[in-house]
Amino acid sequence: MTDDRLKMFVQRYAAQDAPWDTGMTPPEIEQIVAELPPGKALDLGCGTGTNVRYLVERGWQADGVDFVPQAVATARARLADFPPQSCAIHCHDVTRLDELTTLRPPYDLVIDIGCGHGLEPAEQANYARAIAALMAPNGTLMLDAHQPSEGRGAGWSPAEIRRMFAADFEPVWQVFSGDTTSGAPAGWYRIMRKT
C-alpha cells in the first residue's frame, strides 16, 4: 500500500474518525461462524480486533493483520486476556502477506471487511494469490467490498472479484446492499478455496 494511504488511516485513527470501526461483528460473520466448526481464522485489515476477539470467544484460533499502529495496539490490548496461542495481531501491510512469516496457516476462514477493495490495481492479483496460499482446501473467504460508484473510484465490481479470485476460488453466494457506515454500494461475497 502507498505511504499516503497509511498516513491517511493513521490520521483518521488519531482523530477518532474511523466510522468503519463499529465495535460490532457483522451478521454475515456471525452467520458463517455459527455454520462452520471452530478452526483457524485470519482477519485482514482487522482494525482494533473486534472480529478476532469474536472468533476467539467462540473457540477459534484467530490472527489479525493491520498496518495502522494505533489500531494494532488497541487490538492487542483487547485480546490481552487470551493466551497467545489463541490469537495474534500483526502490524503489517496486507499487500505483502508472503513476507509475514509469523502467520499460522492454513486458515479455514479468511475475513476481509472493506480492506482489499482499496488496493491499487497492481496489488490485487498478488493479494488474491497470497490469500489462496494461506488457506486450507475448501476454506472460506468472507469478503465485504464497496463497488465503484460515481465520485468514488475505490471498490471492486462483482465481475472484478470473480476475475481476481477465479484461479483459486469458487463463488458460493453474494449479497448486495449499502455500506452500513457510508451508504456506498457494497456487497458481501462468500468464496470457497478450491481443493
Side-chain angles (χ1 to χ4, degrees):
M1 286 196 189
T2 65
D3 290 340
D4 288 344
R5 189 163 174 77
L6 174 58
K7 184 178 178 182
M8 181 270 291
F9 276 104
V10 167
Q11 289 173 342
R12 292 199 59 183
Y13 271 103
Q16 298 183 354
D17 178 24
W20 57 85
D21 188 17
T22 64
M24 297 181 296
T25 294
E28 293 82 0
I29 300 303
E30 292 178 348
Q31 176 185 335
I32 200 74
V33 169
E35 178 184 326
L36 297 176
K40 293 168 71 174
L42 176 63
D43 186 2
L44 298 171
C46 68
T48 58
T50 298
N51 299 309
V52 174
R53 184 174 178 99
Y54 181 85
L55 287 156
V56 173
E57 288 174 338
R58 283 149 187 83
W60 288 72
Q61 181 187 62
D63 297 333
V65 179
D66 205 290
F67 71 160
V68 181
Q70 304 101 303
V72 167
T74 301
R76 287 175 175 162
R78 177 176 273 168
L79 294 159
D81 52 337
F82 293 102
Q85 64 270 24
S86 67
C87 55
I89 303 294
H90 306 274
C91 192
H92 196 78
D93 184 341
V94 298
T95 66
R96 298 186 351 255
L97 289 170
D98 55 336
E99 299 172 11
L100 189 51
T101 59
T102 50
L103 291 176
R104 302 176 289 182
Y107 292 101
D108 305 293
L109 174 64
V110 174
I111 299 169
D112 173 344
I113 303 175
C115 176
H117 68 203
L119 299 180
E120 297 294 328
E123 300 168 326
Q124 295 171 4
N126 183 54
Y127 185 65
R129 280 192 303 272
I131 291 172
L134 291 169
M135 291 188 74
N138 296 316
T140 298
L141 169 62
M142 289 296 292
L143 174 68
D144 177 38
H146 286 172
Q147 297 180 35
S149 58
E150 190 174 331
R152 183 186 185 96
W156 291 336
S157 70
E160 288 173 307
I161 290 170
R162 283 192 299 275
R163 176 189 50 75
M164 204 176 354
F165 291 99
D168 298 298
F169 292 89
E170 293 284 351
V172 177
W173 56 253
Q174 59 190 30
V175 177
F176 302 112
S177 63
D179 180 77
T180 56
T181 57
S182 69
W188 271 99
Y189 304 83
R190 178 177 177 177
I191 309 170
M192 181 173 285
R193 178 74 166 91
K194 294 176 183 175
T195 56

